[in-house]
Amino acid sequence: MAKRILMVCLGNICRSPLAHGIMAQMLPDSFVDSAGTGLYHIGSPPDPRSIEVAKLNEIDIQYQSSRQFEPKDFGDFDHIYVMDRQNYRDVVAKAKTLDEVNKVELLCEAADMGSVPVPDPYYGNDDGFQKVFDLVNNACGRIVKKLEENDA
Ligand code: 4NP
């Protein structure tokens, strides 16, 4: 069940690197990557608070490097999971076909957890990163189960 999965947030330093690391660990045979819709942090490693919360959960994301989402990603990935509605609008704005639009889903919606965003923890305290980890971990687990069911 190898899939090509892209996780997207704004800066690609807080939320999507966690989603990237979590999904890569859940689906070791799949190609998982992450990107940001913004330009602020290109080439930067994840935020130290994301690295730390991942490490506490035995996931190593320190070698990831932030990059910007590009239209080519629509061809390179089967599923594009975005963290919030603004990410959704920004990614879909770059789509050229309905097929490309249909690859884009809100992470929690794809996980049947309702239309809730993964909140941006950047300006909050460390607690926000653990909350993001738990939410994304839960969502990824549910998505993996659905992908496996669809493949069966
Ligand atoms: P992320 O968080 O989208 O989860 O990576 C953010 C990181 C940086 C900024 C905003 C959100 N920023 O404005 O620099």
Side-chain angles (χ1 to χ4, degrees):
M1 199 215 45
K3 301 281 182 199
R4 302 171 303 163
I5 294 173
L6 183 67
M7 300 295 191
V8 177
C9 64
L10 172 60
N12 191 210
I13 57 165
C14 297
R15 294 166 292 176
S16 59
L18 282 172
H20 173 174
I22 289 167
M23 197 56 119
Q25 195 177 64
M26 287 183 182
L27 294 176
D29 297 330
S30 290
F31 175 58
V32 183
D33 195 13
S34 60
T37 57
L39 282 162
Y40 322 99
H41 300 282
I42 292 173
S44 300
D47 187 285
R49 296 166 294 179
S50 282
I51 293 176
E52 183 60 26
V53 77
K55 198 172 157 195
L56 288 171
N57 291 278
E58 286 161 21
I59 299 176
D60 185 2
I61 63 167
Q62 67 180 316
Y63 298 112
Q64 291 183 24
S65 172
S66 173
R67 71 170 178 89
Q68 194 175 32
F69 178 84
E70 49 185 340
K72 178 177 171 291
D73 289 321
F74 286 115
D76 290 346
F77 293 92
D78 306 308
H79 299 278
I80 298 170
Y81 298 118
V82 298
M83 302 299 124
D84 64 36
R85 293 239 164 253
Q86 186 60 50
N87 305 152
Y88 183 86
R89 285 190 286 271
D90 291 340
V91 170
V92 162
K94 293 185 171 147
K96 290 196 183 63
T97 65
L98 191 57
D99 188 45
E100 290 181 351
V101 171
N102 288 339
K103 287 187 176 185
V104 190
E105 289 177 275
L106 204 60
L107 184 81
C108 291
E109 237 168 44
D112 295 331
M113 291 164 70
S115 184
V116 292
V118 178
D120 186 347
Y122 188 61
Y123 293 107
N125 56 27
D126 291 3
D127 182 44
F129 284 75
Q130 184 62 55
K131 287 194 175 130
V132 166
F133 185 94
D134 293 342
L135 184 62
V136 169
N137 194 40
N138 192 1
C140 286
R142 286 162 163 269
I143 288 170
V144 167
K145 214 168 151 209
K146 278 180 74 178
L147 292 174
E148 284 169 352
E149 281 165 9
N150 289 344
D151 262 19

